[in-house]
Amino acid sequence: MFPMDEIKELIRTIPDFPKPGIQFRDLTTLFLHAEGLRKAVSAMADAYRSQPIDMVAGIEARGFILGAPIALELGTGFVPIRKAGKLPGDKVSVEYELEYGKDRLEIHTNALERGMRVLMVDDLLATGGTMRAACDLVEQVGCRVAGLAFVVELVDLKGRQRLTEYRMVNLVEFEGE
Ligand code: AMP
């Protein structure tokens, strides 16, 4: 038994990174811990084991670290959703708003077939802008978002409100930004 409280304790908080006022929730300390990493991956996979999932999509970069082992647990493939300019093949992209300016997420056009049920994985839900864009991308190519999985939810930022139509699983919550 490895309680979620212990997962929370393995996440390091670095104040004022990458800019003043942000409490950065650093999951690399969880990833260093063999049992913590295993528990986080299996708890996220457990939430979807009884659901029909055809593919797991992870969002760059910490979504890759979690998404690939979740895909192994669920017996699916894994598809990376990357920041602009990183994917070498034909791709589709979606633009989304950041606090200052815009950014773009991309996926290879050959990665998904229409109608696939895709589980979306990232490390942390903050405002929800990144996951919203990733879900839009997957739906744009004719697939269904079967659910979302995060380790952390920053509850005060209310990202959940932008993703109400989806099943969502988070392992731990933090208050504040
Ligand atoms: P958002 O689009 O606002 O939901 O931001 C989510 C993305 O930004 C995730 O990929 C997180 O890894 C990262 N992120 C946002 N805020 C934090 C934070 N306070 N600590 C760690 N990562 C964060």
Side-chain angles (χ1 to χ4, degrees), residues 46-48 50-51 145-149 163-169:
D46 282 350
Y48 290 97
S50 61
Q51 307 282 315
V145 172
L148 317 178
L163 298 159
T164 50
E165 68 266 52
Y166 306 122
R167 177 191 173 100
M168 183 187 296
V169 168

Side-chain angles (χ1 to χ4, degrees), residues 1 11 27 29 55 65 84 118 120 127 132 136 146 168 173-174:
M1 180 62 190
I11 297 169
L27 275 78
T29 45
M55 186 69 78
I65 296 166
V118 182
M120 311 292 291
T127 66
R132 179 72 262 169
D136 291 345
M168 183 187 296
E173 296 180 355
F174 284 94

Side-chain angles (χ1 to χ4, degrees), residues 83-128:
K83 308 270 170 66
K86 302 282 184 67
L87 290 173
D90 290 339
K91 61 218 161 207
V92 282
S93 54
V94 67
E95 209 171 60
Y96 64 106
E97 301 281 337
L98 297 174
E99 199 178 342
Y100 303 105
K102 291 176 194 268
D103 214 342
R104 209 150 34 96
L105 288 177
E106 299 182 333
I107 192 169
H108 272 144
T109 46
N110 72 322
L112 297 173
E113 289 162 31
R114 294 186 79 77
M116 274 185 163
R117 294 156 297 196
V118 182
L119 172 60
M120 311 292 291
V121 176
D122 204 358
D123 66 326
L124 177 145
L125 174 66
T127 66

Side-chain angles (χ1 to χ4, degrees), residues 11 25 27 123-125 150-154 170-172 174:
I11 297 169
R25 307 299 180 177
L27 275 78
D123 66 326
L124 177 145
L125 174 66
F150 302 91
V151 177
V152 176
E153 178 178 8
L154 301 185
N170 310 297
L171 304 185
V172 302
F174 284 94

